[in-house]
Amino acid sequence: MHNTQEEIKSKDSESLSLYEYLFAKIVKYRMTLVLIATSLFVYILLFTAFQYYVSSWSPYAGTILTKLTDALFISVIIAIFVTVGERLYEKTNIAYYLRRELSGFERKFSDRIENLILSRFSLGLQQVIEKIDDGEIICDSSNKSVMWMNTKFNELEVSQEHIRTALLKGTNVRVLLMHKDNPCSEFRGKDSCRNPDDPESIKNAVEDYRRSLKTSQISMINFYKDMQKLRNAIDQSKDKNKKPLGSFELRFYMDLPSVPMIVVERGERHESVYTGFYLNRFSSAMPYIEWGSSNPENSFVDNLYDYFERKWKYSEMHDAGNFLDADSKKTASDPRN
């Protein structure tokens, strides 16, 4: 569909010209019209012959010609009645009515599809990704900055390696995860319960989820400190060819988990945002939607970016520097975690 919505509406509003209307009717009733024309032609031919030559023919010939002309005249009348009757039948027949209604529905359906396509491009929806490769997105060397929000990383070492690779390429990374004491963790734990009809299973699922949040948080804080050490080592290095490490910030939120999100900036604008779903499985197992800033005046990417920034701001009092206490160190060294 290459026509715009305005073009489609203008075409629908245009009326057919007289020639187009007549041509359409001729095509529709062509057999009836041929029958009428042929009957009239033969009738006129025989009637003329009767007028000029019947006086010199035998009485039987005159009678035959009279009967033929009467029959042809009757056939013309019948053809006209057939045409009128066919038209009246179409107007009253349920099949004709249904065809007309379906034709209108088809036009409305086409308009709705067109509107959906136009809204898709105005919102900036790019594609649906069945299985996201967050490593490919995070580690892209063309990234200027990456903002990564989730509840926790289920594959901690893999996610941390992605972040490390991005930092070594000079990408600035901000990670926003759920706080281990977030009250919403109880509801997210219930969502992940394998047996939601069993109260004991729900209780265990909530405890396991909170425990995994704590393990993830402590591991990420330690990783954050390692990256700070690596940054200091690179800054103190005398190798001028060594690329500076990208900045790394880590915070934990205490409010709603909303959606998993990866915001990517490559130029002056936040060009792409990837959003997933929190259902009863890991978000990494859910499809992701890619949003782009194809319409700068009304882009859903801007809304997602603003949401991340607001959530980041509200998490200011819970950044990584406030968490590495004695209890965290003890838990981090516990082999059971």
Side-chain angles (χ1 to χ4, degrees), residues 141-337:
S141 58
S142 64
N143 293 342
K144 180 180 178 182
S145 67
V146 171
M147 289 147 274
W148 198 354
M149 180 173 69
N150 214 320
T151 53
K152 60 187 178 69
F153 294 135
N154 295 308
E155 298 180 345
L156 272 168
E157 294 183 359
V158 175
S159 300
Q160 290 171 359
E161 186 58 34
H162 293 336
I163 297 172
R164 186 196 308 272
T165 302
L167 293 174
L168 291 172
K169 291 181 178 181
T171 303
N172 300 323
V173 179
R174 284 192 282 171
V175 174
L176 185 57
L177 302 175
M178 180 183 280
H179 192 285
K180 61 183 177 64
D181 298 326
N182 191 324
C184 295
S185 61
E186 176 183 354
F187 307 108
R188 183 58 187 151
K190 289 180 178 179
D191 286 340
S192 61
C193 180
R194 298 288 184 178
N195 188 8
D197 297 326
D198 181 19
E200 189 65 24
S201 297
I202 294 176
K203 179 182 177 181
N204 293 334
V206 171
E207 291 177 354
D208 290 342
Y209 188 77
R210 284 175 170 169
R211 190 180 302 110
S212 65
L213 272 181
K214 187 174 183 179
T215 301
S216 173
Q217 181 167 316
I218 294 170
S219 177
M220 287 302 300
I221 291 172
N222 287 328
F223 175 74
Y224 169 81
K225 294 179 72 68
D226 290 341
M227 292 301 98
Q228 292 300 104
K229 293 178 182 178
L230 179 60
R231 166 184 284 279
N232 294 333
I234 292 177
D235 291 343
Q236 296 173 6
S237 175
K238 296 181 179 180
D239 187 359
K240 296 182 180 180
N241 296 324
K242 201 151 192 172
K243 191 173 184 178
L245 191 73
S247 64
F248 179 41
E249 298 176 80
L250 175 65
R251 291 185 182 180
F252 301 90
Y253 58 86
M254 290 288 290
D255 49 9
L256 293 172
S258 62
V259 295
M261 183 188 305
I262 302 175
V263 183
V264 178
E265 291 182 308
R266 294 188 176 89
E268 296 299 324
R269 293 182 55 81
H270 27 281
E271 294 187 359
S272 299
V273 178
Y274 303 84
T275 57
F277 301 90
Y278 288 131
L279 301 178
N280 57 353
R281 297 167 60 192
F282 291 149
S283 60
S284 58
M286 297 288 101
Y288 268 68
I289 299 175
E290 179 184 358
W291 306 89
S293 54
S294 58
N295 182 2
E297 296 181 358
N298 180 27
S299 177
F300 190 55
V301 168
D302 295 332
N303 295 339
L304 293 169
Y305 180 83
D306 292 341
Y307 181 80
F308 181 93
E309 288 291 353
R310 179 180 295 185
K311 204 173 188 70
W312 181 265
K313 180 181 179 181
Y314 289 160
S315 304
E316 185 175 359
M317 300 304 296
H318 306 284
D319 60 12
N322 297 326
F323 290 129
L324 202 57
D325 53 19
D327 180 64
S328 298
K329 291 179 180 178
K330 179 181 178 182
T331 307
S333 60
D334 192 334
R336 291 175 297 177
N337 297 305

Side-chain angles (χ1 to χ4, degrees), residues 5-40:
Q5 188 175 6
E6 291 75 11
E7 290 174 343
I8 291 176
K9 288 182 178 179
S10 65
K11 286 186 178 181
D12 288 341
S13 62
E14 289 178 359
S15 59
L16 292 174
S17 67
L18 177 61
Y19 299 107
E20 291 173 328
Y21 178 81
L22 290 176
F23 179 76
K25 293 302 179 183
I26 290 173
V27 171
K28 186 172 184 179
Y29 302 109
R30 58 187 181 277
M31 295 305 297
T32 304
L33 291 173
V34 168
L35 175 61
I36 293 174
T38 304
S39 299
L40 285 173

